[in-house]
Amino acid sequence: MNPNSNRRRLRASWNTTAALLILAVLLFPVYWMLNTALQPESSVAATEWFPASPGLENFDTAFSSQGGSLLTSFVVALGAVAVCLSLAAPAAYGLAQFGLRGGQGIVFTTLITQMVPGIVIANALYSAYAELGLVNSYLGLILADASLGLPFAIVLLRAFMVSIPNEVVEAAMVDGANRFTAFVRIVLPMSRNALITAGLFTFLFAWSDFMFALTLNTTDDVKPITLGIYQFVGAHVSDWGAVMATAVLSAVPAAILLVVAQKYISAGITGGSIK
Amino acid sequence: MSTFASTAPATKTSGSSAAPARAGSGTRRRGLLRWLFVAPALAYMALFFGYPLVRNIVMSFQHYTPKTYFTGEAPFNGLDNWRAVFSNELFAGSLWHTALFTAGSLLGQFTIGLALAVFFSRRFRLSGLVRAILLLPWLVPMVVSAVVWRRILDQDHGMLNSALHAVGLTEGGVPWLSSPGVALLSAIMVNIWIGIPFNMVILYGGLQEIPRELYEASSLDGASPWRTFRSITLPLLRPVVTVVLVLGFMSTVKILDLILALTSGGPADSTQTLGTVTYQLSFLQLDFGQGAVVGNVLILISAVFAVLYLRANRADFGKGQ
């Protein structure tokens, strides 16, 4: 073994060590969240550095007080995914394949909409929702949350659908399918991966939403977990163990996404950065 | 957006696929049918993005009171809301806090993000895995992160003060969130932490696009690492830097979740931003007219930067589509 490659190997292992150190520093708050959640005795007083005798009691408390909110978040996020994809998929296909006049302008506008501040939307939506009776309703929150993923979903799906050969769809249409049937039977199955990615991110955006949950609900009828933990901290600051257990539970979708859709996350970061 | 194009499979220009499609459809009816694919999404965007923009402008000239939602009456009151907001000290303060918060956050996020992006561009074991796990803080709901930090930064029982005390750095314990002089700085610190992954990922992507030969040439010329960074990396990274900074700006300037969960705008209004003031005026004082004024200011600031973004991104936009 020549000394040069030895030196390179040594440097590489130093780099790995440094990377792990960076990871430890930057993920410390995540560790602290888990650590506190696993210590049943951690009340107001300071928390131990390690969960020497870990217990899941905090998670029991979290489930019993915030379980309903977790379910609400799940339902709302799934609803938002359904609304978002059923709007975005046909639109993306139309924009990718039909050469519509003004299509460029529409894609452009889609990108711009991501820059409208959420609080501005909430401000106007509240008035409209009050008139329509959509305040404190699942439907109202689902519709609003779909806006968080829609621009990203359209842009992502369109970028994918541009590469679907037109001949495939034309062939189906020769066989008697109309354009819409061809879209459902041919284009959607071909776009499965892109649809899953857009759906996962829309789920995460809706799950993470706090703004619409806070502003479009005046009662506890529809209380997603983000609103739940916010009020939990206001009311029960003494029980930090349970708060942290709730935090861990509400971070689960993020962790799942990190594992299953890791290679798409950089695309999602760009798309969701201005949510 | 360049990042979209690079992550999407083989993006061709739409011209090649559009031309035969257009030739195939002669009749107007088929043209209309095609619009039916796009129409629902367009209608949705008009309702959930277009309408709020217009409605906010109208609302800013209307007098809303808590009674409005019973009577339905919100009479026009000219420039009263605008005058009230612009003479409100809370608004002036929030403008200043928003500027500090945004500048501080971007500076920290960008510097650390760039350093990490450069670091992870080296090839070593576990680099990809560590980079992936580092994204977690960006994926966790912001309110949740803020709540965790609120515990860590607690003056009496927080982990940060215990640690500082243990190594003998502080005697009393820093009032991270409870002193008006420190709270904004703490909020900036937390937001830097949240924003690092975003900056790192995009800048890392940009670094990968720089041709390796340039670095080889510069190393043959005997240039120092710093010189290489300044003369090759930075200039070639500039378009990506603009994108990162502008996107970061747009998401930071309207911040709300983080502040509400961390400090609720306090202590003594020292962390009120344009976002929290809009929320407070509209949803706590139920003066939606004044809330709309602040919202419009927020839109105006965002619009200026949107134009900057589109200018910087114009070349990319044409290419990517």
Side-chain angles (χ1 to χ4, degrees), chain B residues 149-173:
Chain B
W149 275 101
R150 202 170 129 178
R151 174 62 175 163
I152 292 174
L153 296 176
D154 187 272
Q155 184 175 359
D156 300 321
H157 309 292
M159 168 266 139
L160 188 56
N161 277 346
S162 319
L164 289 176
H165 185 74
V167 294
L169 270 178
T170 55
E171 200 55 28

Side-chain angles (χ1 to χ4, degrees), chain B:
Chain B
M1 273 181 179
S2 58
T3 19
F4 278 130
S6 59
T7 47
T11 312
K12 284 188 291 183
T13 56
S14 61
S16 62
S17 55
R22 193 176 291 149
S25 74
T27 67
R28 174 172 286 192
R29 198 172 145 265
R30 272 171 84 184
L32 276 177
L33 276 177
R34 294 176 159 196
W35 275 102
L36 282 182
F37 278 78
V38 188
L42 281 183
Y44 178 92
M45 287 198 283
L47 284 175
F48 283 83
F49 296 109
Y51 167 79
L53 285 176
V54 177
R55 179 82 187 243
N56 258 280
I57 296 175
V58 178
M59 282 171 93
S60 69
F61 298 106
Q62 281 178 292
H63 185 55
Y64 279 81
T65 64
K67 267 191 293 182
T68 302
Y69 287 96
F70 298 106
T71 59
E73 280 168 27
F76 285 94
N77 62 352
L79 288 172
D80 284 5
N81 293 330
W82 292 81
R83 270 191 220 107
V85 165
F86 280 93
S87 59
N88 188 341
E89 274 176 35
L90 187 63
F91 174 73
S94 76
L95 261 180
W96 175 235
H97 301 150
T98 308
L100 282 180
F101 182 83
T102 308
S105 296
L106 289 189
L107 191 71
Q109 291 173 357
F110 178 78
T111 318
I112 300 175
L114 181 61
L116 289 181
V118 170
F119 173 72
F120 280 101
S121 295
R122 300 176 182 177
R123 288 177 186 182
F124 55 89
R125 207 202 294 235
L126 295 182
S127 162
L129 183 69
V130 172
R131 208 155 27 86
I133 302 177
L134 279 180
L135 298 177
L136 198 59
W138 182 81
L139 296 168
V140 171
M142 205 184 261
V143 178
V144 174
S145 300
V147 165
V148 173
W149 275 101
R150 202 170 129 178
R151 174 62 175 163
I152 292 174
L153 296 176
D154 187 272
Q155 184 175 359
D156 300 321
H157 309 292
M159 168 266 139
L160 188 56
N161 277 346
S162 319
L164 289 176
H165 185 74
V167 294
L169 270 178
T170 55
E171 200 55 28
V174 183
W176 295 108
L177 299 173
S178 44
S179 153
V182 189
L184 189 64
L185 203 67
S186 303
I188 291 173
M189 193 173 76
V190 174
N191 195 46
I192 289 176
W193 178 76
I194 290 175
I196 289 173
F198 163 69
N199 283 263
M200 180 188 77
V201 162
I202 299 192
L203 292 169
Y204 178 85
L207 285 176
Q208 304 312 303
E209 311 247 310
I210 300 177
R212 300 224 150 245
E213 300 85 59
L214 290 176
Y215 289 110
E216 281 156 22
S218 122
S219 116
L220 281 179
D221 290 345
S224 69
W226 173 240
R227 179 70 209 255
T228 311
F229 180 77
R230 247 186 37 206
S231 309
I232 296 179
T233 312
L234 272 189
L236 287 172
L237 204 59
R238 232 180 77 180
V240 182
V241 168
T242 316
V243 169
V244 161
L245 287 179
V246 176
L247 291 184
F249 178 89
M250 319 261 326
S251 57
T252 310
V253 76
K254 64 186 181 191
I255 198 88
L256 178 85
D257 309 30
L258 176 78
I259 306 266
L260 278 189
L262 205 59
T263 62
S264 306
D269 289 330
S270 62
T271 52
Q272 293 279 9
T273 59
L274 291 173
T276 60
V277 169
T278 310
Y279 170 72
Q280 185 170 322
L281 287 171
S282 287
F283 291 94
L284 299 180
Q285 298 174 18
L286 297 177
D287 194 334
F288 281 82
Q290 289 195 26
V293 171
V294 188
N296 286 331
V297 172
L298 205 49
I299 291 175
L300 202 69
I301 296 174
S302 298
V304 170
F305 280 82
V307 170
L308 283 179
Y309 170 71
L310 293 172
R311 273 193 159 181
N313 219 23
R314 196 164 40 190
D316 264 352
F317 185 76
K319 198 173 56 192
Q321 313 309 316

Side-chain angles (χ1 to χ4, degrees), chain A residues 97-136:
Chain A
Q97 296 278 349
F98 294 170
L100 297 171
R101 198 190 275 207
Q104 287 274 6
I106 296 173
V107 179
F108 198 72
T109 314
T110 309
L111 288 173
I112 301 280
T113 55
Q114 297 189 75
M115 300 177 178
V116 183
I119 186 70
V120 170
I121 298 177
N123 205 38
L125 270 194
Y126 182 83
S127 306
Y129 272 27
E131 286 155 26
L132 296 168
L134 283 172
V135 177
N136 300 318

